[in-house]
Amino acid sequence: MSKRTSEKNASDGQQKRAKRFQQMKERFKKPQNSFEISPGMKGFFVTSVRGREKKCALETIDLLEEYAAKLYPNLEQEIVMDGADGKDDESPQAESNDIEDEIAREVATMKSEKTPKLFRYLPTTIDCLVYIKCYKKIDPERLVQFIFADMSKTKQRKTRFTGRLIPAKVTTTSKLDAIVRGAKEVARDLLAEDAEPTTFALVVNIRYCDDLKRDEVIPAVAAPLDTKHKVDLKNARYTLVIEAFKSMCTIGLVENYNALKRLNLQTLFDEKETPKPKVSEPQSQEPNDDGLPLDSNGTPKNELTG
C-alpha cells in the first residue's frame, strides 16, 4: 500500500469518526419543541395567533412580569433570600480565612445577584396554544384578575399576538377523575360549608383528546357545585375554565368572566357598536304599468293635476 493511499484512508477514518461523534451528540440533544408540561405545575394557558406562538410567549411573559412586580413587589427579593445561604453570617466560622469558605461565599453572592426567573415558556406542540409556567408563590388567578382590572381602566393595549390569558391554578392529566379532583381543589372556597350561595358557570374546551368527552366533564364537575349554587351562563359571578389538550388539562376559577371579555386581550378594548338609526327609504318613483309616475302613497300621478 502506498503512502498516499494510507494517508487517504487515515483521513477518511477521521472524517467518519467525526461524523459518528456528531450523530451521537444529536441523538442526546434535547428536542426543540419537547412537551415538558406535567401535573402539579401552575401557570397560564394562552391562545395565540397561528405561527406566532414564541412571540406570543415572549410578550405575555413581559406582561406578566410587569404586573407581577406591582402585585408582588418583594417577591424577587424573597426568592433570592430563600436561595442564598445566610447561615455563614451567623456562624462563628464565617470569619475564618479558609479558601474554601471564601469561594463558597463568593458563589452564594453571585447566585443571589442573579434575577430569579418567575415565568417560563413551555411549548404545547399544538398550533395557537402556549403554556407559561409560573413560580410557586404566584397565584395565577389573582394575577390575571389584577391584569384585566387594570387594563380595563387604562385601555392601553400591550400585546399583539396574544389572545385569551387563562389562569392555570391546577394542571393535571386529562382523565375525568383527575379533572374532577382538580376542579374541587380550585373551587375549594365555593364548596366550603360557610360559602354564601352565588352563581357559577363552566367553560370546557377539549383539544386533541379523543378519550375525553365534554358531555361527561360538565355534569361531573358541576355536581358538587349544584348543591349550593345556581348556574348562570350569561352573568355568572364565578366561571370555572377547563382547558384539556392532549394528555394534560388546566383548571382555573375566574370572577366576572363574561364582563372581562372572556379574558381575551384582543377583544378587551373593542367598544360596543351602537345600533345605527334606521333611515326610511323613499318610495319608488318608477312609473306603473300605465306609464304614469307614482306619488308618495304609491298612487299614479295625474299629469294634469300634478
Side-chain angles (χ1 to χ4, degrees), residues 159-185:
T159 57
R160 182 179 177 186
F161 306 106
T162 305
R164 297 169 65 224
L165 180 61
I166 308 297
K169 189 170 186 178
V170 169
T171 302
T172 183
T173 59
S174 58
K175 301 295 183 181
L176 182 59
D177 55 348
I179 295 175
V180 173
R181 288 195 302 269
K184 289 181 180 179
E185 180 180 351

